Amino acid sequence: DKTSFTVAETTEHFITTLDALKLETRAVDELQPLLSDLMNCLVRLPEIPNDFEPNRIVQQWLQKLNLMRAVDEIDEADSRQLYMDLDSAYQEFKRYLSDQNK
């Protein structure tokens, strides 16, 4: 089932990106592809509402990183905020999946 694969892939990208931040990855050229892969999975999920909070959060961070140069790094404050935002998005994603399976 294509939807199940996309859900699994999305979960994988959330965890990979959160782990990278835990390992103090801060370079734009390392974080941007991770967020881009995550966003690509999120938009492939069927029946996601237009105002789906995880999509908004990931898009917001992608826009910020896309304005920076590849050699730039986010600072510790941004790294901690990105981690918190992505963790919140991941929890919302899991809640959404749980609600869909009721």
Side-chain angles (χ1 to χ4, degrees), residues 67-101:
L67 293 173
M68 300 171 74
R69 297 177 316 146
V71 298
D72 290 340
E73 291 191 358
I74 60 173
D75 61 20
E76 182 181 355
D78 276 344
S79 177
R80 290 172 66 177
Q81 187 65 52
L82 175 53
Y83 184 89
M84 194 174 87
D85 288 351
L86 281 182
D87 188 56
S88 171
Y90 184 44
Q91 299 312 316
E92 178 61 29
F93 171 71
K94 292 192 301 185
R95 251 188 314 279
Y96 174 80
L97 293 177
S98 176
D99 290 348
Q100 295 305 303
N101 292 317

Side-chain angles (χ1 to χ4, degrees), residues 36-68:
S36 184
D37 289 345
L38 175 56
M39 189 74 222
N40 287 336
C41 285
L42 284 167
V43 298
R44 286 199 326 260
L45 291 168
E47 300 176 28
I48 291 288
N50 290 336
D51 61 346
F52 193 48
E53 188 67 7
N55 289 24
R56 189 192 64 74
I57 289 169
V58 174
Q59 186 61 44
Q60 195 173 7
W61 277 101
L62 267 174
Q63 288 171 347
K64 179 176 180 127
L65 294 180
N66 285 339
L67 293 173
M68 300 171 74

